[in-house]
Amino acid sequence: MPRPISKLRQVDPGTYNVLQSSTSVGTLYAEGTAGTLVVEHWVLHAGYQSPTATVDMEVLEFSSGGYTSLTAFMSAMQTEVNTANQAATYIKATCVYDTIDPE
């Protein structure tokens, strides 16, 4: 059973399905140290809509497997785009986690 994303950060390193109304609309591959730096690679397909009050979005970790490298992920995403013959949106987010301590 897929586990929900971590509540301590946006996402932990791993591979995730991006769902809207129970339909897959993208894939997320996150890499990093899980402590201070995570780089998120999002590929969102034509059916994706920005979340609103009426459009939900779920991000669920792959229940098994996932990609072992960014190269494998990007190759698989290019194959999906070629097969669907539709462009997808690629987003790269570099997330640095730090603590703001009281003075």
Side-chain angles (χ1 to χ4, degrees):
M1 171 188 229
R3 69 178 176 89
I5 61 174
S6 169
K7 294 186 187 293
L8 300 176
R9 61 174 66 266
Q10 188 167 356
V11 293
D12 291 322
T15 306
Y16 299 83
N17 284 319
V18 180
L19 305 169
Q20 290 185 310
S21 300
S22 301
T23 301
S24 179
V25 293
T27 308
L28 163 61
Y29 177 74
E31 59 182 345
T33 61
T36 58
L37 174 70
V38 174
V39 180
E40 300 172 1
H41 303 272
W42 296 74
V43 175
L44 304 172
H45 301 292
Y48 172 81
Q49 298 176 40
S50 292
T52 65
T54 58
V55 177
D56 68 335
M57 183 176 86
E58 272 188 291
V59 179
L60 298 176
E61 188 171 32
F62 273 27
S63 56
S64 64
Y67 299 99
T68 57
S69 69
L70 178 58
T71 301
F73 171 74
M74 292 305 289
S75 177
M77 294 302 101
Q78 186 65 59
T79 299
E80 281 188 26
V81 166
N82 292 349
T83 300
N85 198 30
Q86 285 190 314
T89 300
Y90 170 71
I91 301 164
K92 178 180 178 181
T94 302
C95 307
V96 178
Y97 297 89
D98 206 346
T99 302
I100 299 175
D101 294 319
E103 293 181 7

